[in-house]
Amino acid sequence: MNMTRILLLCLALAVPGEALAGNALGKIEELKSEGKLPGFSKQGVFLPRALLLDEIRKSLDPAKAQVKDLELSEQKGTLTLLLHDKVDALLSIDFRFQEVDWPNRTIWMQYSESTRSASDTLLGRVFGSIAIAVFEGVSGTGHLESAISGKPWFIVDKDRVGILLDKVPSLEKPLSASFGKYRVFDFIGIRSLKTEKDGIRASLGFV
């Protein structure tokens, strides 16, 4: 799951000039017709499931992984991927947003993962599950951890992942935006993130 695009969108929405760059009207109508238009309210910016799915798919190599589903509720989010490895397998990642440490530009998420065979037949599931168990027994689990290894903007701490926003290449320019000698995001930023039914809500404000 690639949160950088989503977070970049959150930040861009906080600055009308960035959000409205280019052919704004046409883009807004396109997003609205596809059910991908973010919603605005006093509670923050609501990012719909369709938009999130679109962004996640853009971040994946289809030869290695495909998005099967993204379930979102007030309790948690669950991303299901079809992995193409030694055997095809379904990987489910449950995640919950924790605190946003905006002064350190860090967002924390708790996660857990499970794998099962992707076969549609009983025998396929049995032997697929055996193969997955053997493979994971040899190599160890931690699909998410291995996927983000080598990326300096992620920290893995047991069952938590921290996203270091100021180390994400695509966020460096927005985070350094300034008016005169004042950097915008030293005063305004993401206060919280939480899953809701069919979407994620980002609360923006003074920090």
Side-chain angles (χ1 to χ4, degrees):
M1 178 175 47
N2 187 346
M3 291 302 300
T4 60
R5 290 177 180 270
I6 298 167
L7 292 169
L8 179 59
L9 178 60
C10 289
L11 294 170
L13 287 171
V15 184
E18 294 290 331
L20 298 177
N23 184 11
L25 186 58
K27 186 62 178 177
I28 289 173
E29 288 301 320
E30 179 184 345
L31 289 172
K32 185 176 180 180
S33 66
E34 295 175 352
K36 300 176 184 178
L37 185 67
F40 298 86
S41 70
K42 292 181 179 179
Q43 288 72 43
V45 180
F46 183 76
L47 304 173
R49 176 179 174 274
L51 174 60
L52 298 169
L53 278 169
D54 198 36
E55 294 299 324
I56 293 169
R57 288 189 174 109
K58 289 177 185 177
S59 71
L60 295 175
D61 179 353
K64 295 181 180 179
Q66 295 172 276
V67 179
K68 296 297 290 183
D69 197 9
L70 176 63
E71 299 176 72
L72 296 163
S73 69
E74 293 183 359
Q75 287 72 42
K76 65 176 182 178
T78 301
L79 175 66
T80 304
L81 303 174
L82 174 61
L83 303 181
H84 305 299
D85 203 333
K86 305 297 181 182
V87 293
D88 281 357
L90 288 171
L91 171 66
S92 293
I93 301 172
D94 290 341
F95 63 92
R96 294 175 178 83
F97 290 108
Q98 296 183 313
E99 71 271 18
V100 176
D101 180 5
W102 189 255
N104 291 307
R105 304 297 190 264
T106 303
I107 289 173
W108 287 97
M109 297 167 53
Q110 185 178 38
Y111 79 98
S112 62
E113 59 183 48
S114 60
T115 314
R116 65 185 187 277
S117 172
S119 175
D120 292 330
T121 67
L122 176 59
L123 284 176
R125 287 196 297 271
V126 170
F127 288 109
S129 296
I130 291 172
I132 291 169
V134 170
F135 177 68
E136 290 187 343
V138 173
S139 63
T141 55
H143 299 89
L144 182 61
E145 186 172 351
S146 63
I148 64 180
S149 64
K151 297 180 175 64
W153 51 90
F154 287 110
I155 299 176
V156 178
D157 177 23
K158 297 179 181 178
D159 63 344
R160 300 198 310 161
V161 173
I163 306 169
L164 308 178
L165 302 181
D166 56 357
K167 294 186 181 299
V168 178
S170 59
L171 291 178
E172 290 178 359
K173 187 174 180 180
L175 286 174
S176 63
S178 62
F179 285 112
K181 62 180 181 179
Y182 299 105
R183 295 199 309 173
V184 176
F185 293 111
D186 286 345
F187 301 95
I188 195 168
I190 299 174
R191 302 182 69 176
S192 67
L193 283 168
K194 63 179 181 178
T195 57
E196 296 186 2
K197 180 175 172 54
D198 295 330
I200 292 175
R201 187 171 299 280
S203 295
L204 310 175
F206 292 106
V207 291

